[in-house]
């Protein structure tokens, strides 16, 4: 929403923001003119700089460019949980397929300018600005741009090495095989980095107030009560699974999976240098797990979860009185009640003596959850066999039977997270298999 008081407060800071982006493009144009000898690109970046300069002048005058309400409503409608998740995965696929195009410095700088322009225009909305400029969230927003830069830098180096490998030349990293002494070469560089990071933290602490709140009150609980940003991804997982699964099983699988990588990967190529073509499976798996799952969950939990843990769009007001009705349905209820039109199979009560006994009660629970158990069997048993004989046949022959099964099971466990998210948001499926009688919910 717009208000004169908010615009008057945000306008000077927005002016400085656009001015910094303007200076960045001026420097980029000068670099293209003098070092790259590309006058066309230099003129283009100077034109972009002039545009950001005009936005800075308008902001300093107190009349910044504002996003229309219809545009913000359309963005809020588009940024639903399903579209955000699927959109993120689609972007990752497009970036991977077109990596040779997107790693070009001119293309990357153009995307950066577009992102900074969209971010600056969005700051004119008070609800968006209140979320992204909160002391708790400001560091996360900055890390998004840093993460994008380092992912681009690594991908650009990998594409460059892949082109050199296609021509029969060694990777760029081979030029730096010369050994150096730890002292003074490495220690000196680390000391300089330590000084720079310390100065940066001091400046940050002086510019941004620490997110300290009132003393803890056991009677008043914050709404929402969020974990620190490095744990908010795990907190987001609690929406889709039980606490024992999220807090114990998932972290253990992540640690075991990372430890198993050196023993599972039989590819001798790509050690000590950046590459994608020589290690496509390892690269796509890691980037999907890191960006598509972990980073995405952190951003969703930090920027899109509001009061009552509801999902809010970028410009939606964080209304603490908003209650969203969620009808969690188990897969067994879908199968027996919705699809077959029958009641759930009864399970004998353990507190009431009956002739069935413990085994009969277990059989009744298994019969009730049979659809989910069959689905999990197809997913974790049949699907690896089919993939090993079709799409992943070469990888299975290269890895061997034992390493292939460990790898594919870890991979399928990782894919259960986005599948569970889509099922929960699209069809309100809470559990594929629900056995509360035995404290087992999947």
């Amino acid at each position: 929403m717009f208000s004169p008081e908010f615009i008057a407060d945000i306008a000077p800071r927005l002016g400085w923001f656009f001015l910094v982006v303007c200076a960045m493009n001026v420097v980029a144009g000068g670099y293209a003119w003098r070092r790259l000898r590309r006058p066309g690109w230099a003129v283009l970046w100077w034109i972009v700089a002039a545009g950001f300069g005009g936005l800075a002048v308008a902001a300093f005058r107190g009349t910044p460019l504002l996003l229309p309400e219809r545009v913000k409503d359309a963005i809020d409608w588009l940024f639903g949980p399903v579209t955000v998740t699927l959109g993120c995965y689609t972007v990752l696929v497009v970036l991977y397929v077109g990596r040779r195009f997107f790693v070009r410095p001119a293309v990357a700088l153009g995307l950066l300018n577009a992102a900074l322009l969209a971010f600056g225009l969005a700051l004119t909305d008070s609800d968006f600005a209140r979320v992204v400029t909160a002391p708790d969230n400001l560091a996360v927003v900055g890390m998004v741009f840093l993460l994008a830069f380092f992912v681009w830098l690594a991908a650009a180096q990998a594409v460059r090495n892949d082109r050199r490998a296609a021509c029969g030349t060694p990777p760029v990293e081979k030029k730096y095989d010369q050994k150096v002494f730890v002292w003074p070469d490495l220690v000196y560089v680390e000391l300089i980095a330590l000084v720079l990071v310390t100065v940066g933290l001091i400046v940050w602490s002086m510019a941004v107030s620490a997110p300290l709140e009132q003393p803890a009150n056991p009677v008043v609980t914050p709404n929402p009560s969020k974990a620190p940003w490095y744990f908010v991804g795990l907190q987001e997982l609690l929406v889709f699974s039980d606490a024992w699964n999220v807090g114990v099983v998932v972290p253990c699988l992540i640690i075991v999976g990372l430890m198993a990588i050196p023993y599972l990967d039989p590819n001798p190529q790509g050690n000590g240098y950046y590459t994608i073509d020589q290690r496509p499976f390892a690269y796509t798996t890691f980037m999907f797990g890191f960006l598509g799952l972990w980073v995405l969950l952190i951003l969703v939990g930090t920027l899109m979860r509001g009061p009552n843990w509801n999902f809010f769009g970028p410009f939606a007001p964080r209304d603490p009185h908003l209650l969203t009705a969620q009808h969690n349905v188990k897969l067994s209820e879908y199968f027996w009640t919705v699809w077959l039109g029958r009641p759930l199979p009864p399970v004998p009560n353990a507190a009431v003596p009956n002739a069935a006994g413990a085994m009969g009660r277990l059989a009744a629970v298994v019969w009730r959850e049979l659809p989910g158990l069959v689905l999990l069997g197809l997913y974790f048993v049949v699907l690896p066999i089919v993939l090993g004989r079709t799409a992943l046949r070469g990888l299975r022959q290269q890895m061997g039977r034992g390493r292939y099964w460990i790898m594919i099971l870890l991979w399928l466990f990782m894919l259960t997270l986005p599948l569970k998210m889509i099922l929960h948001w699209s069809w309100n499926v809470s559990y594929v298999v629900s056995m509360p009688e035995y404290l087992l919910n999947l």
Side-chain angles (χ1 to χ4, degrees), residues 150-183:
F150 286 111
V151 169
W152 167 81
L153 185 63
Q157 188 63 49
V159 170
R160 184 181 179 185
N161 286 336
D162 291 338
R163 289 173 178 169
R164 293 172 64 91
C167 299
T169 55
V172 178
E173 287 80 1
K174 292 298 182 181
K175 299 179 181 179
Y176 307 101
D177 284 345
Q178 182 181 0
K179 297 182 179 180
V180 296
F181 292 102
V182 174
W183 172 265

Side-chain angles (χ1 to χ4, degrees), residues 90-160:
T90 302
V91 169
L92 290 178
V93 172
V94 172
L95 292 178
Y96 174 77
V97 174
R99 59 186 180 276
R100 293 176 178 83
F101 171 76
F102 290 108
V103 297
R104 297 176 181 177
V107 177
L109 185 57
L111 294 176
L112 176 60
N113 278 303
L116 292 175
L117 175 62
F119 183 74
L121 295 179
L123 284 175
T124 58
D125 182 83
S126 59
D127 294 306
F128 179 85
R130 188 179 300 110
V131 173
V132 299
T133 59
D136 286 335
N137 302 339
L138 195 58
V140 178
V141 176
M143 284 189 292
V144 169
F145 289 96
L146 287 176
L147 178 64
F149 169 75
F150 286 111
V151 169
W152 167 81
L153 185 63
Q157 188 63 49
V159 170
R160 184 181 179 185

